Amino acid sequence: MFKGALFDLDGVIADTAVFHFAAWRNLIKKYFNADLPDELEEKTKGVSREDSLRVILDYLQISVPADAFARLAEEKNEAYVAALEVLTPDYILPGIADFIQTLQENGVKLALASASKNGPLILEKLGLSEAFDAIADPANVANGKPAPDIFLAAAQGLGLAPADCIGVEDAVAGVTAINASGAYSVAVGGDELNHAKLRFKSTADLDFTKIKTAFGKID
Ligand code: BG6
Ligand code: MG
């Protein structure tokens, strides 16, 4: 049985993915009068603020000097944080509160493994800060997802080996990061996440017993 659960935040615990991409869309419209296609959203999921901006500027084939790049990232974050004002526990994704409770009842420790520097603020607004035994700080890891660093830091924060943990993700880069860390990847989402060891269509479908059984079958 696993002893720890390493959670992504945006799109797994909180319904915030839409706020991230809306903030990018508004910013890009304002400064470059360009529209971002829906398909670009997956490429900005799970990756850091700066890597998201790189993905977007590459798509637009625009290059900007370092100071302008930093200002764009900062302005996106200001808009994103302003949008988070509306956040309440209602923004916890379906099934997550029950899933967290079941994990706790089974003695599983919880850690946050999010690329977001706004993780602690969001957990606070959702009323979930107390549920987490550790929060890995993305500012303190060398490499963002798809590198394993944030999941390794989250497992370490719980005092556990990654092999004794599951990781829960909704992004392609995030599932790759869990696999590279040695934790057992559980995905919520579509076929693009088929590199996960176990996949559920949505957070509402997360099933503790199924995960426990599948984890128990690893050799
Ligand atoms: C991830 C999101 O959780 O956090 C990404 O999926 C985002 O879209 C990243 O870029 C960084 O978030 P923040 O809040 O630090 O800008
Ligand atoms: Mg996510």
Side-chain angles (χ1 to χ4, degrees):
M1 185 31 201
F2 52 93
K3 298 177 184 147
L6 319 175
F7 276 87
D8 176 46
L9 173 65
D10 298 305
V12 170
I13 295 172
D15 195 5
T16 42
V18 58
F19 292 125
H20 274 294
F21 202 57
W24 285 125
R25 275 196 156 132
N26 292 338
L27 185 85
I28 295 304
K29 189 77 189 166
K30 177 176 167 189
Y31 287 103
F32 304 107
N33 195 28
D35 295 306
L36 299 178
D38 293 346
E39 309 83 76
L40 210 59
E41 184 174 359
E42 181 57 51
K43 297 204 170 107
T44 64
K45 272 191 192 168
V47 301
S48 71
R49 196 179 306 160
E50 289 72 21
D51 285 346
S52 296
L53 181 53
R54 261 175 223 117
V55 163
I56 290 167
L57 294 177
D58 279 356
Y59 165 79
L60 295 170
Q61 298 187 305
I62 291 170
S63 71
V64 297
D67 56 342
F69 185 96
R71 278 200 307 275
L72 285 168
E74 179 59 29
E75 188 169 329
K76 180 270 176 177
N77 189 53
E78 282 165 12
Y80 176 65
V81 171
L84 293 180
E85 271 301 308
V86 300
L87 228 58
T88 64
D90 288 344
Y91 282 79
I92 298 174
L93 281 160
I96 289 295
D98 285 348
F99 185 55
I100 285 177
Q101 197 185 332
T102 307
L103 290 169
Q104 289 172 326
E105 285 166 1
N106 283 274
V108 177
K109 297 275 179 225
L110 269 58
L112 196 70
S114 171
S116 175
K117 295 186 175 124
N118 294 301
L121 168 74
I122 292 172
L123 286 187
E124 189 67 44
K125 284 187 164 285
L126 299 179
L128 286 176
S129 302
E130 299 298 306
F132 282 79
D133 302 286
I135 298 179
D137 184 349
N140 285 341
V141 300
N143 305 295
K145 300 171 189 178
D149 305 29
I150 195 82
F151 286 98
L152 295 173
Q156 195 176 38
L158 295 178
L160 293 172
D164 288 327
C165 298
I166 61 164
V168 191
E169 262 290 350
D170 72 318
V172 171
V175 169
T176 305
I178 298 172
N179 289 342
S181 78
Y184 185 88
S185 52
V186 176
V188 282
D191 287 344
E192 72 280 7
L193 304 177
N194 276 343
H195 52 317
K197 299 271 192 284
L198 189 63
R199 180 173 69 83
F200 298 93
K201 285 204 176 100
S202 78
T203 55
D205 302 315
L206 279 166
D207 183 328
F208 175 75
T209 308
K210 273 190 191 158
I211 299 170
K212 193 176 143 183
T213 306
F215 186 89
K217 288 187 181 145
I218 315 171
D219 25 65

